[in-house]
């Protein structure tokens, strides 16, 4: 059906955005089989590290006093500080309100104990289904770390069972901490030494292959500092060159690089203590140009890197950009980055991932992003409609499907010559 008016176009875009079932390709949530690693409910929402960092901007409490509190006491303090003593319009605060609102709880009462009673009455499996339905999410990709002592045993006993939860092999300890972590590979049964000899590199490749296959990992991922460079005469440079890239090419899975995080600039904030720095896009360009059989998924944390990264993606079909990561997951940047990417890359990118750490965050992170992405997409259709190009409803649905997961899945299938 052709679309005659702007009003018709708007309602078709809105309906397509509302009805699309999303693949969320980067999260930190876990299926119920991982036990307490799956975080959910109002207190977990309130003690999210984004809100911890924001709370400390208002209070003089010693950090250790806060960390000694129970999770409920921390949540009470955060609720009072950010939601009652100040207005909760920051993106992370608004997110909590969006979750409560979409769960049909009365946000106007500001009654934290009433919200707690709602969650206390919810059974975990039932709530998991409710969140996926409310968030319009059909499947998510977890962040799975074999070096994590709570997570590894679950995989060794069979791993994730819920088909909605896919795996990604996260290798930060290997790449960013070789000197500290190589002994753990020995503990896991891989005959490695500190020296990156041919024998050690072969064992690292075996470790990577074993864990990708054990998890059914869709991709390998690492977060990298602003100083990341490639090629680089370092353990990380050697491991990427000799282990990560060959194994990813052989298994035809992407290597996902999340670049620009400055770890623990304020260690007292713990998980909330990381920051951001401008990074070197040339490392991405070099990798895409010199490893054409490898597929790369990249997101960068600093706003200043976004345009150059977009242009590098135009040059290399083995590069897929994804998400408005972390400090960029604010409406002001999601709008700017989505426009930049649509105007430069068309539909060939992944506009968003949630990075959810708490199950309930799927609801707000997607409600907020779907609205912005839908607004930008409508404007792009209207721009070409004004030339006489008549986009059809089927084409709108096709594009929306691709933006909210389809392109990710087809990139995974891509086999480069
Ligand atoms: O490295 C990552 O996957 C980051 O997304 C996290 O470390 C970060 O804490 C986060 O959750 C940001 O949203
Ligand atoms: Zn993440």
């Amino acid at each position: 059906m052709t679309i005659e008016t702007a009003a018709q176009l708007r309602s078709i875009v809105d309906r397509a955005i509302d009805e699309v079932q999303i693949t969320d390709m980067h999260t930190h949530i876990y299926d119920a089989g991982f036990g307490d690693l799956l975080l959910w409910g109002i207190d977990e929402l309130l003690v999210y590290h984004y809100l911890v960092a924001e709370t400390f901007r208002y209070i003089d409490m010693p950090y250790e006093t806060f960390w000694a509190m129970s999770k409920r006491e921390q949540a009470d303090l955060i609720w009072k500080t950010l939601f009652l003593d100040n207005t909760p319009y920051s993106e992370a605060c608004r997110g909590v309100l969006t979750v409560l609102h979409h769960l049909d709880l009365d946000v106007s009462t500001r009654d934290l104990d009433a919200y707690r009673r709602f969650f206390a009455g919810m059974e975990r499996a039932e709530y998991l289904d409710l969140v996926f339905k409310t968030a319009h999410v059909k499947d998510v990709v977890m962040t799975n770390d074999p070096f994590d002592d709570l997570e590894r045993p679950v995989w060794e006993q069979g791993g994730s069972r819920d088909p909605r939860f896919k795996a990604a092999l996260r290798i930060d300890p290997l790449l960013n901490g070789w000197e500290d972590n190589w002994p753990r590979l020995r503990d896991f049964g891989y005959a490695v030494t500190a020296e990156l000899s041919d024998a050690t590199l072969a064992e690292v490749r075996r470790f990577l292959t074993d864990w990708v296959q054990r998890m059914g990992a869709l991709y390998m991922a690492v977060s990298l500092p602003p100083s990341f460079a490639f090629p680089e005469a370092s353990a990380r440079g050697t491991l990427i060159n000799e282990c990560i890239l060959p194994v990813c090419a052989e298994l035809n899975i992407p290597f996902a690089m999340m670049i620009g995080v400055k770890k623990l600039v304020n260690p007292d904030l713990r998980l909330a203590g990381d920051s951001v720095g401008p990074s070197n896009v040339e490392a991405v360009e070099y990798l895409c140009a010199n490893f054409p059989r490898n597929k790369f998924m990249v997101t960068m944390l600093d706003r200043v890197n976004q345009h150059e990264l977009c242009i590098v993606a135009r040059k290399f079909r083995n590069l897929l950009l994804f998400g408005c990561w972390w400090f960029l997951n604010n409406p002001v940047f999601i709008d700017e980055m989505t426009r930049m990417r649509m105007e430069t890359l068309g539909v060939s990118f992944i506009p968003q991932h949630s990075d959810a750490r708490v199950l309930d965050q799927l609801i707000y992170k997607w409600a907020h992003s779907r609205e912005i992405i839908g607004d930008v997409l409508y404007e792009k259709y209207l721009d070409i409609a004004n030339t006489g190009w008549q986009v059809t409803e089927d084409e709108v649905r096709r594009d929306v499907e691709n933006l909210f997961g389809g392109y990710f899945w087809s990139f995974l299938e891509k086999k480069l010559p």
Side-chain angles (χ1 to χ4, degrees):
M1 161 205 155
T2 54
I3 301 166
E4 303 301 333
T5 67
Q8 251 185 343
L9 175 61
R10 177 84 250 191
S11 72
I12 283 168
V13 171
D14 289 348
R15 195 161 54 244
I17 291 279
D18 188 53
E19 291 174 1
V20 68
Q21 286 300 303
I22 299 162
T23 288
D24 189 346
M25 51 72 67
H26 173 59
T27 74
H28 297 270
I29 57 177
Y30 297 87
D31 79 51
F34 288 87
D36 292 343
L37 284 172
L38 170 60
L39 305 177
W40 62 285
I42 185 65
D43 287 311
E44 291 294 353
L45 279 172
L46 287 171
V47 299
Y48 183 38
H49 68 74
Y50 291 31
L51 296 177
V52 171
E54 289 180 32
T55 298
F56 270 103
R57 294 198 49 68
Y58 296 96
I59 63 174
D60 301 332
M61 175 184 289
Y63 291 106
E64 282 321 308
T65 306
F66 177 84
W67 296 119
M69 287 172 150
S70 69
K71 199 165 275 190
R72 188 185 180 95
E73 288 165 338
Q74 292 173 359
D76 284 337
L77 175 63
I78 291 167
W79 179 256
K80 179 181 182 304
T81 307
L82 297 183
F83 291 78
L84 303 183
D85 295 350
N86 296 279
T87 301
Y89 56 65
S90 75
E91 186 60 8
C93 286
R94 177 169 80 105
V96 175
L97 303 184
T98 298
V99 171
L100 298 175
H101 176 61
H102 281 249
L103 292 172
D104 296 327
L105 296 171
D106 187 347
V107 174
S108 70
T109 66
R110 306 186 182 185
D111 184 345
L112 179 54
D113 287 334
Y115 307 145
R116 281 171 167 152
R117 286 193 294 273
F118 166 82
F119 288 97
M122 192 61 74
E123 194 272 322
R124 184 169 64 177
E126 172 200 6
Y127 185 61
L128 207 156
D129 293 344
L130 176 62
V131 169
F132 270 69
K133 180 171 178 285
T134 309
H136 304 214
V137 168
K138 66 179 173 186
D139 44 31
V140 300
V141 185
M142 301 182 283
T143 296
N144 302 109
D145 178 359
F147 291 87
D148 181 307
D149 293 334
L150 291 177
E151 181 178 354
R152 188 177 57 259
V154 178
W155 288 109
E156 287 166 343
Q157 288 143 34
S160 173
R161 293 164 191 80
D162 185 331
R164 294 171 294 185
F165 288 76
K166 315 301 184 186
L169 175 58
R170 188 64 180 257
I171 50 176
D172 293 40
L174 184 77
L175 289 188
N176 298 331
W178 172 256
E179 290 72 16
D180 298 329
N181 291 307
W182 69 265
R184 301 194 63 199
L185 279 184
R186 291 187 72 85
D187 300 342
F188 300 159
Y190 298 90
V192 298
T193 60
E195 184 210 351
L196 292 174
S197 63
D198 289 349
T200 288
L201 294 172
E203 281 294 84
V204 171
R205 288 193 292 269
R206 186 168 71 88
F207 163 79
L208 293 169
T209 305
D210 287 351
W211 276 94
V212 167
Q213 291 172 342
R214 176 172 291 126
M215 293 177 169
L218 299 182
Y219 59 84
M220 273 190 224
V222 66
S223 70
L224 296 162
S227 59
F228 174 64
F230 192 91
E232 181 183 62
S234 65
R236 179 167 60 210
T238 303
L239 289 164
I240 289 174
N241 197 52
E242 303 293 338
C243 303
I244 309 308
L245 295 177
V247 171
C248 283
E250 185 191 341
L251 301 177
N252 193 36
I253 62 172
F255 177 34
M257 296 181 286
M258 305 170 72
I259 309 172
V261 54
K262 287 162 70 174
K263 298 301 280 185
L264 295 179
V265 297
N266 180 354
D268 289 324
L269 284 174
R270 300 185 182 178
L271 202 53
D274 299 337
S275 186
V276 55
S279 306
N280 173 14
V281 181
E282 285 187 352
V284 177
E285 194 172 84
Y286 181 95
L287 283 159
C288 293
N290 289 278
F291 296 88
R293 287 187 59 238
N294 277 92
K295 295 183 287 191
F296 299 93
M297 298 193 308
V298 173
T299 195
M300 295 183 87
L301 192 50
D302 199 311
R303 182 192 188 193
V304 297
N305 291 129
Q306 300 309 322
H307 182 245
E308 185 184 357
L309 182 62
C310 238
I311 301 308
V312 173
R314 265 171 80 91
K315 304 304 154 195
F316 297 103
R317 63 182 173 185
N318 58 335
L319 172 59
L320 178 62
L321 303 192
F322 70 93
C324 302
W325 181 29
W326 200 341
F327 305 118
L328 294 171
N329 194 359
N330 285 347
V332 62
F333 301 125
I334 300 168
D335 181 270
E336 177 182 88
M337 289 170 66
T338 302
R339 286 177 192 283
M340 184 189 298
R341 290 163 168 176
M342 283 188 181
E343 291 163 11
T344 308
L345 303 170
V347 184
S348 63
F349 69 101
I350 303 171
Q352 191 58 296
H353 64 277
S354 72
D355 236 319
R357 278 185 179 276
V358 182
L359 175 68
D360 329 45
Q361 291 173 338
L362 292 179
I363 295 172
Y364 93 78
K365 291 195 182 233
W366 284 110
H368 295 180
S369 288
R370 282 204 327 264
E371 184 179 353
I372 300 165
I373 296 164
D375 286 347
V376 178
L377 191 57
Y378 165 69
E379 282 184 41
K380 295 305 159 194
Y381 285 133
L382 202 56
D383 288 346
I384 55 175
N386 290 337
T387 72
W389 181 271
Q390 292 196 325
V391 68
T392 68
E393 180 167 1
D394 287 348
E395 289 167 341
V396 170
R397 289 183 173 280
R398 172 202 62 193
D399 298 342
V400 168
E401 278 290 336
N402 279 329
L403 285 167
F404 285 89
Y407 200 80
F408 168 65
W409 289 108
S410 58
F411 188 74
L412 295 182
E413 294 304 314
K414 195 187 278 279
K415 187 88 178 118
L416 292 161

